[in-house]
Amino acid sequence: MAPRAPPQAPTAPARRLRPPARSAGQSRGCPGPGGPIRAGRGRGGAMADASGGREAVAVAVGAAPPPFQYSPDNVPGADGDVDPTEITFPGCSCRTSSCAAHVCSCLRQGENYDNLCLRPAASEEYARPIFECNAMCQCGESCQNRVVQRGLQFRLEVFKTAKKGWGLRTLEFIAKGRFVCEYAGEVLGFSEARRRIQAQKPQDSNYIIAVREHLHSGQVMETFVDPTYIGNVGRFLNHSCEPNLFMVPVRVDSMVPKLALFAATDIAAGEELCYDYSGRFCNSPLTDREQKTSEEDNRLRKPCYCGSRACASFLPWDGSLFSTPDECSESTS
């Protein structure tokens, strides 16, 4: 995931605050872990989305995914290196129901959405920085620059796949460009993410995602999210070499991004939702670096069962989290 423009925060003195408490039905507020998911038989074992108050995610008949702590938003990781619940961005001073580009400080890069759909990026290969209006903004809750923070808006279902374990599908039509769900969990520092990866056994499922944003300055911003123990429905999304979702980092209250998944194409009811674990933007072609993997890497990689015509046979592989600190420094020099 490589935005061409540096993700600059709105200008003004930064404040470090906690989000206000949220009452039932509000679309914004304090993220935090909810109760464990206890999936019952039939559609009665539904996961209630904390953002909308309606049952947005169901569990298919006979399915019983393992329990985990449900949270609709990112939470601080056990290492305490990153706190995604802090509010460090200043708010815009727009006193209108919806903000306008070049007037609102949150929209200095231009409009983000058009009728709830993500506006196409200028480049097919790179995502651009997206800042939504936040808890400190003066605009209303109906502002069109508040999309990802509203949470799930579609009815989704967790189900058991034939070869890929658990999966997630939509129960209704989703138009291209619409926000579908976030990939939320514990936000970790690099050391803790690497420790967890290296502690995994070959048969363990890996839920940790590493997102690297390449800036104009040459710097790389890294975000590590792990929904293994605390997370949302995004943890059930499978990989596809020709996915119908793509991931974009969206910032709301701080520089810690929400890993938002948008529809890459129109998605029919009943279709499984998938994204490319490598983070390629909008189904862009594989780079030479992504195509060339060592035999050792292939031995460690897991097979891909996406079934697409462009299937690469293996799931995407990021060896950096398996490397020692010395190896990491050598690879980035």
Side-chain angles (χ1 to χ4, degrees):
M1 202 74 60
R4 281 299 192 192
Q8 260 184 312
T11 55
R15 287 169 281 188
R16 305 181 72 83
L17 302 172
R18 296 285 179 177
R22 172 173 58 187
S23 61
Q26 285 184 313
S27 61
R28 298 166 59 246
C30 180
I37 293 300
R38 304 202 181 279
R41 285 193 168 275
R43 299 182 189 274
M47 306 175 197
D49 172 34
S51 301
R54 66 186 177 107
E55 289 186 343
V57 182
V59 179
V61 174
F68 68 98
Q69 193 100 21
Y70 182 80
S71 173
D73 302 290
N74 286 328
V75 299
D79 56 354
D81 280 5
V82 184
D83 186 355
T85 69
E86 288 184 330
I87 301 175
T88 59
F89 282 172
C92 69
S93 56
C94 308
R95 296 185 178 275
T96 58
S97 59
S98 190
C99 296
H102 310 303
V103 176
C104 175
S105 59
C106 302
L107 292 173
R108 290 188 301 162
Q109 304 285 343
E111 299 281 357
N112 293 321
Y113 306 106
D114 185 8
N115 293 325
L116 299 178
C117 292
L118 184 70
R119 293 174 68 91
S123 167
E124 289 291 328
E125 189 177 355
Y126 297 97
R128 64 183 178 86
I130 293 181
F131 293 89
E132 291 196 356
C133 291
N134 59 61
M136 304 302 295
C137 291
Q138 299 297 311
C139 58
E141 290 290 326
S142 61
C143 175
Q144 65 178 0
N145 196 37
R146 300 182 187 271
V147 173
V148 172
Q149 62 194 266
R150 292 174 184 165
L152 295 174
Q153 302 296 315
F154 297 101
R155 292 180 298 115
L156 310 178
E157 182 180 64
V158 176
F159 72 105
K160 190 75 171 179
T161 69
K163 292 184 177 180
K164 299 179 290 184
W166 299 102
L168 187 67
R169 60 190 170 201
T170 178
L171 298 177
E172 56 188 298
F173 171 79
I174 301 175
K176 179 180 179 179
R178 288 292 303 271
F179 168 66
V180 178
C181 70
E182 183 181 346
Y183 193 87
E186 292 180 84
V187 181
L188 308 174
F190 175 79
S191 296
E192 176 64 11
R194 186 179 62 211
R195 185 195 69 77
R196 293 189 184 189
I197 282 284
Q198 293 178 346
Q200 289 177 357
K201 298 179 178 64
Q203 67 272 20
D204 291 342
S205 296
N206 174 44
Y207 293 98
I208 299 174
I209 188 169
V211 174
R212 296 180 177 89
E213 300 174 85
H214 298 262
L215 313 184
H216 274 312
S217 63
Q219 292 179 307
V220 178
M221 297 183 65
E222 294 184 314
T223 304
F224 303 95
V225 176
D226 182 10
T228 304
Y229 308 108
I230 304 174
N232 72 339
V233 296
R235 74 196 298 279
F236 295 109
L237 290 166
N238 282 311
H239 165 82
S240 175
C241 298
E242 289 184 311
N244 51 20
L245 302 178
F246 63 95
M247 181 177 285
V248 177
V250 174
R251 290 170 169 85
V252 181
D253 291 318
S254 74
M255 285 300 288
V256 180
K258 292 177 176 291
L259 305 184
L261 290 142
F262 294 85
T265 185
D266 288 346
I267 305 173
E271 190 174 340
E272 182 179 2
L273 301 171
C274 301
Y275 73 104
D276 189 330
Y277 285 2
S278 72
R280 287 186 299 123
F281 182 61
C282 281
N283 297 334
S284 57
L286 287 171
T287 64
D288 290 339
R289 183 178 179 183
E290 289 173 322
Q291 289 176 330
K292 294 177 182 177
T293 57
S294 68
E295 290 183 7
E296 181 181 358
D297 282 350
N298 282 340
R299 283 197 300 269
L300 293 169
R301 296 172 73 184
K302 295 184 178 181
C304 177
Y305 298 113
C306 73
S308 71
R309 292 170 298 176
C311 183
S313 301
F314 293 99
L315 294 179
W317 167 257
D318 181 356
S320 65
L321 291 175
F322 288 87
S323 306
T324 64
D326 289 341
E327 290 172 334
C328 291
S329 61
E330 289 174 5
S331 63
T332 55
S333 60

